[in-house]
Amino acid sequence: MTFSIHGLPVARGIAIGRAVVVGSTRMDVAHYFIEPAQIVAELERVRDARDAAVHEIHRMQESIEQMGPKDTPHELRALLDVHLMLLQDEELEEGVKYWIKERLYNAEWALVSQLEVVSRQFDEMEDDYLRERKADLEQITDKILQAMRGMPSQLAPPSEAGASKGEQQALMLEDKTDVPLILVAHDLSPSDMLHFKQSVFAGFVTDVGGKTSHTAIVARSLDIPAVVGARLSSHLVKPDDWVIIDGDSGVIVVDPSPIILAEYTYRQRQVVLARGRLQRLLHTPAVTRDGEKVELLANIEMPDDAANAVASGAVGVGLFRSEFLFMGRQGDLPNEDEQYLAYRSAVEGMQGLPVTIRTVDVGADKPLDDALRDTAHLNPALGLRAIRWCLSDPAMFLTQLRAMLRAAAHGQVRILIPMLAHASEIRQTLSMVDHARAQLDNRGVPYGDVQIGAMIEIPAAALMVKLFLKHFDFLSVGTNDLIQYTLAIDRADETVAHLYDPLHPAVLGLLANTIEQGRLAGKPVSVCGEMAGDPQLTRLLLGLGLRSFSMQPAQILSVKQEVLRADASKLTPWAQEVIADEHPASLLIES
Ligand code: PEP
Ligand code: MG
């Protein structure tokens, strides 16, 4: 039966495919496709693992027998009987066979897919006792997975051993079945998302998350349709269901009827055609009709993204979120040489264009490791994150600064500091940069000149922007956090997403003042938050005097199209009217 789920649109376009539903606890299972010739071997792996689990239960039953009924509770015996029954359950066995034979899933993936299917049947049972057997089902699945770990597949990709949670997902190879796959999960961390860059998923849906959560930002950088905050989606969508994701409206259609499918297939084709048309603007300089030059820069997460930034027409990198080099490493932070090589690779990848590298900004919804997610503090977004964390660990911070300075010997590098709010933080940060230079001098290591900039993303910084303009070469407005902190709305919380408003007059006031003060001081001001990549806001930002926009590469041509259509001189008085209005959004729609 066709039904739809509504969430928050994150990445544009339409995806149509079959659902791969991943329970949050099952993310660490390898997912990859096998060759048809490998089906038999893979079926044997599951059978052997299941037999090993059965054998283990038999052994436990025997030792219980030896102890005698007095010493062993009746419940334990009953539990073992239930586990044995579930292990030998035909539906589990047949289901696993189906996923391996028909879908070419590897054994582990097949097992967890079938677990998802059977779990749902348990959820629907009326009898409490039977419903609670779901926990047993999960336990026996773990037993089989454990046994499988002892009998590694000959087929698994070579890097699988020791791969981290996200990496295991990334081991997804080519889709041998030619059916697009849509990943539906309760939650995905930003680093999980990053690993999907190499995967074959045609779209993503998550139950939780806000539009500018870092998971959403990375999804946008993949440039495939995604919807977050779709509440119960991972519960309502069943494995293998046909699913349509409309990344423009945030609608997910499950089990679409032929008419709906035809409509979305048509719209999907229109999206492809529209994108093709935009490609014609690739080499057109971004200049308004009245001759104002506009700088369109790329936001990147990894050095390899530089190639895509250049291919998308970016004239530089306005934000390299360096924290992605630090995440998912079980606390083993990259050393100076590793960072230097990564930054150098981004600089060289940009072929002489400027690269703005932001110092590490971990914390809140970007933990170093998913297992290290901060649950101890009530408000991690207000806690030890970004520059605060860096200043609390000078050795780590100096290591990063030295690596960045060394990379500057190979091209234009700008260093950007996140989350500053205090004059003392500005002073400490700048003296750390001097210290890093002195350390390199002492070691006789070459390094290059850099400009140092500050992110304006805390309202306090926006309110005392003159101080920042005095100390820094340039500013970049992080509207994602500026909105979050001005409006006291958690950017990753879907339950308050409707209040997360880029067009709130208070936000626009802070933004307009920052741009204007930068102009008066003669220092460049850029916007690198998601507002910069929203073509619906381009005219407003131009009207406020912004001439430097940094965004996901996929957005560049849409924003360029708006720039080419705009007459900046006419937009200036209009933008002042918009920001002075009680409801700026209504003026934006009318215009
Ligand atoms: C921002 O806050 O707008 C920003 C660009 O930084 P991040 O999204 O990484 O917090
Ligand atoms: Mg930020």
Side-chain angles (χ1 to χ4, degrees), residues 212 214 217 299 319 321 323 358 361 366 385 455 457 477-482 491 528-530:
T212 64
H214 285 92
I217 288 172
N299 291 354
L319 173 64
R321 289 182 163 97
E323 53 273 16
R358 181 173 70 183
D361 180 2
K366 274 183 296 191
R385 57 170 292 201
M455 288 197 69
E457 52 184 345
V477 190
T479 48
N480 305 336
D481 277 318
L482 188 62
R491 61 194 268 190
C528 63
E530 296 302 292

